[in-house]
Structure formats: C-alpha cells, structure tokens
Amino acid sequence: MAAETEEADGEEYESRVGASYTLSRLLQDTTARISLVLIAIISGMALFAFVDAELLDYRLAETYLYHPLRNNAGTRPLLPPVGLSNQFGEGVLAHPLGTDTRGRDIAVRLLYGSRIAIQIALVSTTIGVVVGTAVGAVSGYYGGWIDDVLMRFVEILYSIPFLVLVIAFMAAFGRELIYAMIGVSIISIPIFARLIRSEVLSIREETYVEAAQAAGVKDRNILLRHVIPNSFAPVVVQTTLQMGTNILIVAGLSFLGFGAQPPTPSWGQMLSIARNYMLPAPWFSVWPGLAILITVMAFNILGDGLRDTLDPRLND
C-alpha cells in the first residue's frame, strides 16, 4: 500500500514538471494566451516579410500587395485611413491605413517593418543569452579570480548607458543592420550574466553537484548537464522580457537614424518621418507606435506569465 502511494506521488510530481506542464499552466492564463496569439501573428508577419524580402526580392509584395520600398504610381501621398478625409484627399479601401509621404502603403510597410523588429530581437537576445549564460555560469561555478575578472568586465558594460554604448558601437563600425544586432546583443550580455551567476552560486552547493565532482565528472559536463539546466528557469523569463526591451531599443535607434536605412521599412524609422507631419497627418505616427506598443506588451505579458508558471512557490 505504501509502495503504491509513493508511486502515485511520484507520478503526480512528474506530471507537474517539464515543458508540457509549464505550457498547460501558461495556457490557463487568459492574458498569456492572448500574448501568445499576438506573438504568433507578428512572428508570422515577420517570417513572410523575411522570405519575400530576402529570398524572393519582394515578388509577393508586387504581385499581391504593394512594393514597400517604391512609390505607388498614381497614389497620392499622406492619404488618411479609409473612411476619413483631409486636405490630402479621402481614404480609400485600397490603402486601409493610409499612405506615407511618398504614397507608399502604410499597412504594407508595417508588415515589412515587423521583419526588422523581430529579427533583431531574436538575434540580439539569443547572442545575449548564449554569451551571458556562459560568462555567468563559469563565473559563479569557479569563483575566485575568475569570478572577479569576469564580473568586473560585466559591471563595466552594465555601467555604460545602453543607448550610448550601442550608438558608439554603430558609429565606429557602421549603421547597418548587422551592427545594430551586435550592439544590442552586447548590452544584453551583462543582464543574463548577472542573472545566471546568482543562480549558479546556490546550485553549485547542491548535493548532486558535489556528488558529480566526487565521481570525477569534468567541470564542463557538470556545468552543461547539471548546473545550467537547473538554473535556466529565470533566464527563460528574462529572455521574453529582454526581447520586448530590445525591440524598443531598435525602434529608438531607427528613430535616430541607426539600424535599417531608408527605404527599408522599420517602425522606428516610420515614427521618425511621421514626427514632421503630426498635425496634418496624425495617423502616420499612430500606426507604427501601436505596432511597437502591442509587440512589446505581448512579450512582457508572456514574460509575466512564464514567471508565474515557473515560480516554484506557486506550483505547490
């Protein structure tokens, strides 16, 4: 009887860990479900735009939509959204969100601007996670002079204002998109390094780590198989939050003229152009602003949901 009870308790415990359990708990949160749907839609838009722009040279846009880089022949600039009218004309169904200063469809440019936001957020955050996790794990596990050297370097990066650091990096190497990705990833490294180090400092004292050390397991294997996997839950949460932050940073860089250069569409760049037309065409700045707001909010809400799901105090 006791054996059956222990087996049942073991099965119940196993059912409450793992990716499937985490996902089921996450989906119980209505706001988290909404954020997942929004992220899926925006990611699908970004994937479509990436494939069409990078692999098909905008053939899909020219065939079924409007070219996001070139002026539309016969289209008036600064048309309002459909249903509205102003000094530039009356909104038409063909351009539901209106047109920009060159007669380009705003909805299409928002679609292709999602490629820049999601691409930089994914690449820069992934680099930050990988490098920051490696630095923080090694620093926390070994301690001593290794910890001092690595963490002093991390603190130097952390002490520099992030926008100044990224702008200085891009001013030195170039304003292209690749340098924006690298610059944003650099400011993400200290965040993940400090986070993973704080977890490793406590996990390295656990019995299973000491047993692995006593058994002669290499430090590299202990880090990869025991220490990092058991300290990665807060990193997952921070990753989603950092993606939202990086999207804001990229939008700010584009607003200042760094990152993707015209005529390649990006949300921050669209805001930068729209600031000169706030009175005659206020909708011009509303749409990219809403795109940034919705995307960042979706990642932040997902991060909050993951934090609640992965918190062991809430899983009792």
Side-chain angles (χ1 to χ4, degrees):
M1 186 68 176
E4 294 178 357
T5 303
E6 291 180 0
E7 183 179 354
D9 292 341
E11 291 178 355
E12 180 182 359
Y13 175 78
E14 290 180 359
S15 67
R16 297 177 62 183
V17 296
S20 59
Y21 172 72
T22 301
L23 181 60
S24 64
R25 277 186 57 87
L26 183 65
L27 293 178
Q28 293 175 8
D29 188 344
T30 303
T31 55
R33 290 200 303 269
I34 295 174
S35 69
L36 282 172
V37 171
L38 290 175
I39 291 172
I41 294 173
I42 296 169
S43 300
M45 293 166 50
L47 179 61
F48 169 84
F50 177 82
V51 171
D52 190 32
E54 300 294 335
L55 304 180
L56 303 178
D57 194 24
Y58 298 102
R59 286 203 298 269
L60 292 178
E62 285 189 295
T63 304
Y64 301 104
L65 301 169
Y66 298 98
H67 200 291
L69 309 185
R70 296 200 294 262
N71 303 353
N72 297 315
T75 301
R76 298 184 62 180
L78 291 177
L79 283 177
V82 62
L84 300 179
S85 61
N86 66 351
Q87 63 193 68
F88 302 102
E90 185 174 349
V92 294
L93 190 59
H95 305 287
L97 301 185
T99 59
D100 66 2
T101 55
R102 296 188 177 182
R104 296 172 296 194
D105 186 83
I106 292 179
V108 172
R109 286 182 63 79
L110 285 176
L111 168 63
Y112 283 81
S114 65
R115 171 177 68 100
I116 304 298
I118 299 299
Q119 182 179 350
I120 293 186
L122 286 176
V123 173
S124 60
T125 306
T126 300
I127 295 174
V129 169
V130 173
V131 178
T133 297
V135 171
V138 170
S139 177
Y141 181 77
Y142 288 104
W145 69 268
I146 296 178
D147 183 29
D148 291 338
V149 171
L150 291 177
M151 293 315 295
R152 295 301 81 78
F153 175 73
V154 167
E155 288 170 2
I156 290 173
L157 286 179
Y158 201 75
S159 64
I160 303 175
F162 66 88
L163 199 56
V164 173
L165 179 62
V166 177
I167 291 177
F169 179 85
M170 296 183 68
F173 294 96
R175 297 191 175 193
E176 289 79 9
L177 192 60
I178 181 64
Y179 297 116
M181 294 181 187
I182 298 174
V184 175
S185 66
I186 290 175
I187 65 175
S188 302
I189 291 173
I191 298 173
F192 292 102
R194 289 160 62 98
L195 179 62
I196 198 74
R197 175 182 177 271
S198 64
E199 295 292 322
V200 171
L201 286 175
S202 60
I203 289 176
R204 71 178 183 180
E205 306 298 333
E206 295 291 341
T207 306
Y208 58 85
V209 175
E210 295 178 352
Q213 292 172 339
V217 180
K218 294 181 179 179
D219 290 340
R220 179 188 61 186
N221 293 332
I222 294 175
L223 281 170
L224 294 177
R225 297 179 182 178
H226 300 289
V227 176
I228 293 178
N230 285 285
S231 58
F232 210 67
V235 176
V236 174
V237 176
Q238 184 60 42
T239 298
T240 58
L241 298 174
Q242 193 63 35
M243 283 186 177
T245 301
N246 288 350
I247 289 174
L248 276 178
I249 295 173
V250 171
L253 290 172
S254 299
F255 186 85
L256 296 174
F258 295 88
Q261 298 299 306
T264 303
S266 68
W267 295 340
Q269 180 193 110
M270 294 174 69
L271 278 174
S272 180
I273 298 174
R275 63 182 172 175
N276 299 318
Y277 301 91
M278 293 293 292
L279 292 180
W283 64 86
F284 193 7
S285 60
V286 168
W287 302 124
L290 277 177
I292 296 171
L293 173 65
I294 292 172
T295 305
V296 173
M297 185 180 296
F299 279 107
N300 287 344
I301 292 175
L302 178 60
D304 290 338
L306 282 172
R307 180 171 53 197
D308 295 341
T309 301
L310 296 174
D311 191 341
R313 295 170 296 181
L314 301 178
N315 294 337
D316 297 334

